Amino acid sequence: MLMVEDVRKTAWERYESLPWPVRTDEEWRRTDPKLLPALPAGEKPKEGAFQTGWETPAPELIRSGVILTDLATATKQFPDLVQEYLFQTGEPGQLKKFVALHQAVAQQGLFCYVPDGVKVELPLRSWIEAISGPAIFPHLAIVVGKDSELTLVDERRSAPGAAEPVLSNEMAEIFVGAGGRLRYVHLQRWNSATTELFTQRAILEKEAQFLNITVGLGSKLSKANVETLLRGPGAHADLLGIFFGAGKQHFDFHTLQDHQAPNTFSDLLYKCALADQAELVYTGLIRIAKQAQKSNAYQANRNLLLSQGAKADSIPMLEIEADDVRCTHGVAVGPVDEEQAFYLMSRGLSATESERLIVEGFFEQILKRIPVGDLREQLAEEIVTRLSTHTETGKETLT
Amino acid sequence: MSTLLEVNNLHVEVEGKEILKGISLKVEKGQVHALMGPNGSGKSTLSNTLMGHPKYKVTQGQILFNGQDLTPLKTDARARMGIFLAFQYPTAIQGVTVANFMRTAMKARFGEAFQSKEFRKTLKGAMASLGVDESFATRYVNDGFSGGEKKRHEVLQMALLKPQLALMDETDSGLDIDALRTVSEGVNRLRGPELGILLITHYQRLLNYIQPDAVHVLVDGRIVRSGGKELALELEAKGYAPYEKETVAS
Ligand SMILES: Nc1ncnc2c1ncn2[C@@H]1O[C@H](COP(=O)(O)OP(=O)(O)OP(=O)(O)O)[C@@H](O)[C@H]1O
Ligand SMILES: [Mg+2]
């Protein structure tokens, strides 16, 4: 186990020695690093403010050892537990300089812990709300013990009225113990003044089950690296994403499905609808190690372009060392299907209504897997609202 | 009698190629007109054009619906005026349930008059009378439907949207004998002094169930003959060969 203080120290050294990204770096080829706010060299950046929040778990859950609180409080009350998990997921493959900075400075965030053998039946909710810039470094740690169960709905948003530019440099670390089951819904609703760098590392032990639903609606720019390490045999991950971009929003997502043990399974499906001049860049890597025989890995990215100016670029990558595995990947990018639109319009729906229904249908496959009913409906409605605001502004600029 | 649909010397192009080469047709309110013709003769092109499909360009001629020129109107406006197309090949729309779709369509068609509270009951009733299983309401539109299920679903929509002019493009193909009867009975129930139907079919069998007022033969983008119901029987016996020669000769 690495001591947190040592990690912070070496992280700071790493941050200082790593160069600032440039356009020619493979990782930054499709997202100009100049779009990032500058951070001072040689000194720790000035931190802005954010607030963490959560619904307190039921008393009987707290009695059985469930923890959901902010990271600073957890560090005070449960120092050994925090030490056991904080910064223990290893080094991610991307955004290294920013992860180093995060580890050097992050003090606050959320800590969610479910001890071995505890089933949390009802979903828990938590959120992080940005208040001021220039930069915030929220950290999220989720630990689901052996044979335990948890559903966590976790939101990122900006405080009402906050307008100042914020760089959120977040790291999420997720541990699912043997036979544990985590359903994690991540809702990204930052305001349009926010630039997000987001790194997620999830470690799945033997027969762990992980359902990860990421919903990305907000921010001006979001660059995310989501890595799932299937470390124990039989580990299972469903990785789903819904993204809606409008205006000049830019999404740059990288995912890693890292199969390190035999009989592991991962299925990734990211669906993105883009309006106006919004852009998506997606690169997805499936890695299957030699010892990970009889593993299945699937990856699909489907993008719907709602206007001519919208763009999506999708690049699958494979590194397969085992020979007895199943692996597929697929990419689709295209505008709304003309025949579908004609069919709906032939029933009296306007072009806008037809598009709305088609987009709703496009996301339905993932929305229906959100394990919380009212949230599912709320999100469907939110997407429709975003869609109608985009079409209205689109119309305004036409006239 | 008053004229519901009047097509005058209609020429239509698809992707730069002329498919309809001067079609004229008049459907009075309450009438059923059957349109028959070999594969590729332009029957679906006509129905798609009447519905305003953006791929089909009218290069000459006129389409009048209740005396109003349709050509400048978009598909949805035509639908809200009461034109309905039962598709030969209905498109699947993944993730959109039949119930959600029909509710939205009925709202669009009837506006203020749409009874939101009655919707479930109305849908259930229409499904029952067409022998459509209740589970259809929660299935995605045409997604994984069998050929026959798709056609029943088209007639279900027609029943709910109560058009003034129904363009039925081979609604009978893909239906088994019992389904053909149920669907025809469904269509006959909708018949009345206001509804006009253009019935595209390859089989005169359908015309035993739905009695047409006129039969037209479309060959290579032109109506080469019009007549009464007996024309369908004649076509069944002799095929289209005589007409195909006629067009070559002309
Ligand atoms: N969207 C389209 N794109 C390209 N060609 C088309 C299109 N629609 C029709 N055509 C062409 O126009 C001609 C007439 O086709 P249409 O579908 O109207 O025939 P049809 O009479 O309905 O035939 P069937 O009995 O097989 O349904 C064909 O040669 C067809 O290939
Ligand atoms: Mg046809």
Side-chain angles (χ1 to χ4, degrees), chain A residues 337-351 353 356-358 360-362 364-365 368, chain B residues 48 51 53-54 75-76 79-80 84-85 87 91-96 101 104-105 108 140 142 154 157:
Chain A
D337 183 84
E338 197 184 6
E339 296 309 319
Q340 290 185 343
F342 176 61
Y343 189 80
L344 295 177
M345 288 175 74
S346 79
R347 303 321 188 218
L349 280 70
S350 68
E353 284 173 314
R356 173 178 69 79
L357 221 54
I358 290 168
E360 269 184 67
F362 176 70
E364 170 63 18
Q365 191 184 6
K368 73 175 180 202
Chain B
N48 280 318
M51 198 69 243
H53 193 299
T75 301
D76 55 320
R80 288 193 297 268
F84 180 88
L85 170 59
F87 283 68
T91 312
I93 306 187
Q94 289 83 11
V96 178
F101 165 56
T104 317
Y140 297 148
N142 294 319
E154 293 297 290
Q157 294 173 58

Side-chain angles (χ1 to χ4, degrees), chain B residues 41-239:
Chain B
S41 56
K43 303 181 297 296
S44 296
T45 300
L46 178 62
S47 59
N48 280 318
T49 306
L50 295 176
M51 198 69 243
H53 193 299
K55 259 196 177 162
Y56 298 78
K57 303 262 175 317
V58 174
T59 54
Q60 239 192 90
Q62 229 186 359
I63 306 167
L64 300 175
F65 177 69
N66 283 323
Q68 186 186 346
D69 183 11
L70 280 187
T71 28
L73 296 182
K74 287 230 173 87
T75 301
D76 55 320
R78 299 184 194 200
R80 288 193 297 268
M81 285 169 71
I83 302 178
F84 180 88
L85 170 59
F87 283 68
Q88 181 176 6
Y89 304 112
T91 312
I93 306 187
Q94 289 83 11
V96 178
T97 62
V98 168
N100 183 12
F101 165 56
M102 278 323 296
R103 183 194 297 275
T104 317
M106 287 175 75
K107 243 187 247 169
R109 167 86 171 102
F110 301 116
E112 297 285 291
F114 172 63
Q115 305 267 314
S116 184
K117 283 198 203 109
E118 298 291 300
F119 173 72
R120 285 269 153 200
K121 226 173 84 196
T122 315
L123 179 65
K124 243 174 117 171
M127 295 205 322
S129 68
L130 283 163
V132 172
D133 194 87
E134 258 182 52
S135 65
F136 261 65
T138 53
R139 285 179 69 179
Y140 297 148
V141 173
N142 294 319
D143 192 24
F145 286 18
S146 77
E149 286 170 343
K150 283 184 186 167
K151 297 303 168 87
R152 276 181 207 241
H153 180 232
E154 293 297 290
V155 178
L156 171 73
Q157 294 173 58
M158 177 175 155
L160 290 168
L161 293 174
K162 301 198 176 8
Q164 258 197 74
L165 172 66
L167 313 163
M168 307 191 69
D169 194 352
E170 296 197 27
T171 305
D172 54 335
S173 48
L175 291 180
D176 64 46
I177 298 162
D178 295 335
L180 182 66
R181 187 177 305 117
T182 325
V183 164
S184 310
E185 282 165 4
V187 173
N188 283 330
R189 272 197 301 276
L190 299 171
R191 284 188 73 172
E194 292 299 314
L195 175 70
I197 300 180
L198 185 66
L199 199 63
I200 297 171
T201 181
H202 285 293
Y203 307 105
Q204 83 84 31
R205 195 182 55 196
L206 176 69
L207 307 180
N208 290 336
Y209 292 104
I210 306 173
Q211 297 280 334
D213 299 286
V215 176
H216 308 279
V217 183
L218 185 71
V219 175
D220 191 25
R222 291 185 182 89
I223 291 179
V224 294
R225 212 177 139 191
S226 298
K229 197 189 156 240
E230 66 294 342
L231 181 53
L233 287 166
E234 189 188 314
L235 287 172
E236 191 138 274
K238 297 189 189 153

